[in-house]
Amino acid sequence: MEKFIARAEALTTHHDDRGNLTELIHTYDLPQTVCSLDNKDHVVGKYGQTYVVRNERAGTIRAFHVHERQWDYFTVVNGKAQVWVVNPEKTEAERFILSGANLTRLIIPPNYWHGWESLMSKDRKSTRLNSS
């Protein structure tokens, strides 16, 4: 059994011409076994990653991609974005408008193509990705 120890860790931010992306937590950051917290044993379940994307200008597009096993959970925490999601059994994309003024979680199952565009400058997008 691994003992949990509180600690602060620096985060890595990846920059490009669209803005930046900072991963907050990933599967490999978590204990892979039962850990002890407050004298209780806790089994750590499956987890993907959590990250924040910041775009510097409206019109920035994060291109279409698909995950074979991973579920995506998108939430815009500041600004506004439109997200396109394509069901693998259909040919049309469904469009969702997400806004920090109306916090919403968009859940995208595996095998659904998806991408998004910033609708306001300085958008903040927080995404939690889980493996299934």
Side-chain angles (χ1 to χ4, degrees):
M1 178 177 3
E2 183 179 337
K3 178 106 172 115
F4 178 82
I5 299 170
R7 63 185 173 273
E9 299 175 330
L11 298 176
T12 301
T13 299
H14 306 277
H15 300 271
D16 64 21
D17 61 341
R18 300 172 294 177
N20 62 59
L21 179 148
T22 304
E23 287 192 32
L24 301 179
I25 194 165
H26 200 281
T27 302
Y28 50 72
D29 296 320
L30 299 174
Q32 298 299 308
T33 59
V34 175
C35 67
S36 177
L37 178 62
D38 299 329
N39 295 320
K40 294 181 183 176
D41 290 342
H42 298 270
V43 176
V44 178
K46 274 190 159 184
Y47 180 81
Q49 63 179 332
T50 300
Y51 63 86
V52 174
V53 176
R54 293 185 184 112
N55 290 326
E56 298 302 320
R57 58 191 168 276
T60 299
I61 295 175
R62 304 282 175 158
F64 279 90
H65 63 281
V66 67
H67 307 288
E68 289 183 20
R69 295 180 300 164
Q70 177 174 292
W71 290 72
D72 279 354
Y73 300 83
F74 289 94
T75 301
V76 172
V77 296
N78 187 23
K80 194 173 186 180
Q82 64 181 344
V83 182
W84 296 277
V85 179
V86 180
N87 181 327
E89 298 175 1
K90 299 180 180 178
T91 57
E92 295 180 9
E94 188 170 359
R95 185 179 82 146
F96 298 88
I97 303 294
L98 304 179
S99 169
N102 183 21
L103 293 176
T104 304
R105 178 174 45 232
L106 174 61
I107 302 170
I108 303 172
N111 297 311
Y112 280 60
W113 284 88
H114 54 283
W116 63 280
E117 175 185 11
S118 296
L119 298 177
M120 300 172 68
S121 294
K122 299 289 185 185
D123 278 359
R124 302 289 190 267
K125 184 177 183 207
S126 175
T127 307
R128 177 178 173 172
L129 307 176
N130 279 359
S131 299
S132 58

